[in-house]
Amino acid sequence: MYISIKKMYATLYMRHSEFMSELHKMKLTRKEFAELAEIPLPTVIGWGATRKNKTVKKVPDWVQPFLNLQKEVTELRITLNRVLTSLPTK
């Protein structure tokens, strides 16, 4: 069974629309994402942009795992907050 290069490439890299959708789901702006990732905002803004030679600057492959970890961290903070607020006070 053969997998087309195009199909394989699509699974390796996050599309710009997927990136923006994930940010929207996580209620993050591109500026907030840039601050979390400690990268310049213009870099993030450039993802998905078409250059003069008609190539599109791809979303880097580290972004998807980074977003997944951020989701987990957020869920853990929510859980921790619930546990801490349910503890009896002295």
Side-chain angles (χ1 to χ4, degrees):
M1 182 169 135
Y2 294 99
I3 297 176
S4 74
I5 297 296
K6 188 176 181 179
K7 210 177 221 185
M8 188 171 73
Y9 181 77
T11 61
L12 292 175
Y13 292 94
M14 178 181 238
R15 291 186 181 106
H16 182 259
S17 60
E18 294 170 326
F19 170 66
M20 294 304 293
S21 177
E22 285 296 315
L23 289 184
H24 181 73
K25 288 178 194 172
M26 295 173 70
K27 296 181 170 98
L28 284 176
T29 63
R30 290 187 289 183
K31 181 179 180 184
E32 292 166 330
F33 174 82
E35 289 170 358
L36 274 173
E38 297 181 358
I39 57 175
L41 178 59
T43 299
V44 177
I45 291 171
W47 297 339
T50 305
R51 297 180 184 172
K52 290 179 184 178
N53 62 358
K54 305 293 184 203
T55 61
V56 177
K57 191 169 183 183
K58 305 287 184 220
V59 176
D61 57 355
W62 60 266
V63 173
Q64 182 66 55
F66 183 86
L67 289 173
N68 291 341
L69 286 172
Q70 281 304 125
K71 285 184 217 173
E72 289 181 34
V73 166
T74 300
E75 290 171 11
L76 286 171
R77 284 182 179 154
I78 291 168
T79 302
L80 180 61
N81 190 36
R82 285 183 185 149
V83 168
L84 291 175
T85 56
S86 69
L87 293 174
T89 58
K90 291 184 180 181

